Amino acid sequence: MSTTRNGRTTTQKIATVPQVKILFVCTGNTCRSPMAEIIFKAICKQHHRTGVIVRSAGTNAAVGMTMMPEAVTALRLYGYRLPKTPHTAKQYWHKMQKQYHYIYSLQNYPDPYGRGQDAYNALCLQLQGDLAHLYHQIFDLRTAPVRL
């Protein structure tokens, strides 16, 4: 990056942050994992963390289907901004294991599908806390000073 001050142009090097790739996986990729993706992206933004790529996929994805309306409602209820381009479900493939640094299964979370809006709201709250904890597990360890 070049800047001009007092008629002099100087060049500054901008430190690049290595990319960290994170994948959230559930069954259909229309409820749990896309919610986790949006929440985790918001947590990264809140902490001014750059260089993080967050995606989601499903082990039995309804490929091309948009996120469930109840999931969208829950995310908006808790103040999350949704991307301009709507989420579409993507299939998880074995080869993805080599493409991501971290892959997290959301199979242990109850699937809210067909259980009403309250189930989606509860999942959103649970993911908020758990993903904030996960963020610190990943990035506090990566940036912690080494003590000898």
Side-chain angles (χ1 to χ4, degrees), residues 18-135:
Q19 287 187 342
V20 175
K21 295 180 180 180
I22 300 169
L23 180 68
F24 293 103
V25 180
C26 68
T27 306
N29 193 222
T30 59
C31 303
R32 293 170 289 179
S33 58
M35 290 176 74
E37 177 183 348
I38 288 170
I39 293 168
F40 200 82
K41 284 178 179 178
I43 293 168
C44 290
K45 186 174 182 178
Q46 176 186 0
H47 289 278
H48 307 287
R49 174 68 60 179
T50 59
V52 182
I53 295 172
V54 184
R55 300 286 186 266
S56 64
T59 56
N60 191 21
V63 175
M65 191 170 164
T66 58
M67 194 179 339
M68 295 303 297
E70 298 91 339
V72 171
T73 298
L75 289 165
R76 286 186 176 145
L77 176 68
Y78 293 105
Y80 292 98
R81 289 186 179 181
L82 279 77
K84 292 178 183 177
T85 304
H87 168 83
T88 56
K90 293 159 192 68
Q91 179 65 38
Y92 172 81
W93 299 103
H94 184 70
K95 66 182 178 182
M96 290 177 161
Q97 291 180 14
K98 294 180 182 178
Q99 297 170 347
Y100 290 87
H101 298 101
Y102 301 96
I103 298 175
Y104 294 99
S105 171
L106 297 166
Q107 301 302 100
N108 291 333
Y109 289 85
D111 190 347
Y113 183 79
R115 295 182 44 226
Q117 189 62 54
D118 288 344
Y120 286 86
N121 295 350
L123 175 63
C124 193
L125 283 175
Q126 186 176 6
L127 287 173
Q128 282 180 357
D130 292 351
L131 294 175
H133 181 71
L134 177 64
Y135 173 89

